[in-house]
Amino acid sequence: MTGNTEVVVVGGGYAGVMAANRLTQRDDVAVTLINPRPNFVERIRLHQLVGGSHDAVVDYREVLAERVRLVVDTVTRIDAAGRNVVLAGGGTVGYDYLIYAVGSGSADPRVPGAAEFAYPIATLEEAQRLRAVVGAASATDAVTVVGAGPTGIETAAELAEQGRRVTLVCGGVLGPYLHPRGRRSVAGRLAKLGVTVLEGPDAKVTAVTRDAVRLGDGRTLPSAVTIWTAGFGVPDLAGRSGLSTDALGRLLTDETLTSVDDARIIAAGDAAAPSDLPFRMSCQAATRIGAHAADTVLSRIAAEQPVPINLGFFGQCISLGRRAGIFQFASKDDTAIKLYVGGRPGAKLKELVCRYTVKHLAAEARKPGSLTWVKDDKRRELLQAERREAPVVGERAA
C-alpha cells in the first residue's frame, strides 16, 4: 500500500482532464485517468476536422499533469460496492473516489432512416468518417445538415465556405440560444455563404433515405450527404452500473456533484445532473464542473464539507466558416442578451476561445487549483423555488 488516496477519473474530455489536473494539488492523491483514446479531442473543433482545417486532437502530454497516470481503455462497468471499475481490455482498477466524466455523444435520432443514412459528428471517429464521406462527394452534391444548434450552424458554414451546396434544416428556430439580434447576424452570414436555411414547425425531418431527406410538410430534399447534429446523448455506463440517472442517462447528484447513491462517486461535465437540473452541455461548463468535482473530492479527503456548485456563464461563440463568427454574450444565468460580436472579430474571438480552452487545461496541469470562474446565485434561488413548489409527502402531483 502506498498510503495515497486513489482517485479514478473516467473520461478524458474537458471535464475529466480539468478534474484530474486539479486533484494533483495534494501530493498524497494518486490520480488515474481512463480514456478510450490516446489523445485529447477538441470537441469544439470537430466541424473543422470535417472541413479539413484542423485535426481536432492534442497530445495528452500538452494538457495533462505529469503525475496523472493515463490508461487507454474503456470502462464497461462501475462496481460501486467493490470500489473498482471493470475495463474492456481486461482487469479492474480500484479507487477510493471516482469522478464520472464520460461526456456526451450523438443522440439516437429516432427518425426512420437517420441511423442508417445520416452521419453524426459528435465524436472524433464520427467526424473522421464524415470527413472521408465529404471528401469523396462531388463539389456539386447536395449536403443537408439537420439541427440548428452551434454544431449544425458551424458545420453548415464550414462546408458552404468551401463552395458546397448546403441546406440547414432547423426543425424549429435557427440558433435557439441566440438573442434575436445575434440570430439575424448569423442568418445574414449563412445567406452570404449560400446556405439555404429551413426554419419553422414544417422544417422537421420525418425520414432520411440514402439520397434524400423528407420533411414534415411533405417536401423531399435531395441529399447526397446528410449530417445529423440534432441533440446529444450520454453513455449509459452509470445506468448499467446500477446508479441513479435522469431520463437522458446523466448521473444524478446533489449540488456538490456527489452521486445520490454513493458519496465516493462524483460527476463532472455533460454527464452530470446536479439536483436533476443539469447545466447546458458545453466545454465552458465542463471545465468548471470538472474543477468543482475535483474540489469536492479534495474536501472529502480533507474531512471538510464540500460546497454546492456555483457556476455562471458568459455566452456562446459560434464559428461561421474561417472568416466570420459570432460571440453571443449572456447574463450569468446563461440567458442571451442583445450584445454580440460578429463578422471577422467574432471569428477571432471564437478562435481565441478554442485556443484558451486548451491553455486553461495546460495551466491547471502546471498550477493545479488556479482556475477560477464566474458565479451565479440565481441557480440557488431557482432550486429553492422548485422545492417550495414541490408536493409534500402523501400529496399527489397534478
Side-chain angles (χ1 to χ4, degrees), residues 34 39 48 50 52 62-63 97 113 119 149 161 174 192 195 252 265 295 309 320 330:
I34 304 174
N39 293 305
Q48 289 186 252
V50 173
E62 296 182 28
V63 295
Y97 292 93
Y119 295 90
E161 193 176 64
L174 175 69
K192 286 182 180 178
V195 177
L252 282 178
I265 298 177
D295 290 347
I309 189 167
L320 298 166

Side-chain angles (χ1 to χ4, degrees), residues 8-11 34 36 73-80 84-88 95 98-103 233-245 248-251 261 265 271:
V8 167
V9 181
V10 182
I34 304 174
D73 209 329
T74 299
V75 174
T76 60
R77 187 170 62 86
I78 299 168
D79 178 3
N84 64 68
V85 296
V86 180
L87 302 180
Y95 66 82
L98 180 142
I99 292 183
Y100 185 80
V102 297
V234 298
D236 64 351
L237 176 61
R240 283 190 287 108
S241 301
L243 299 168
S244 297
T245 66
L248 195 64
R250 290 172 287 216
L251 185 69
D261 303 309
I265 298 177

Side-chain angles (χ1 to χ4, degrees), residues 184-198:
R184 286 193 291 272
S185 175
V186 170
R189 175 60 182 171
L190 291 175
K192 286 182 180 178
L193 290 171
V195 177
T196 300
V197 177
L198 302 180

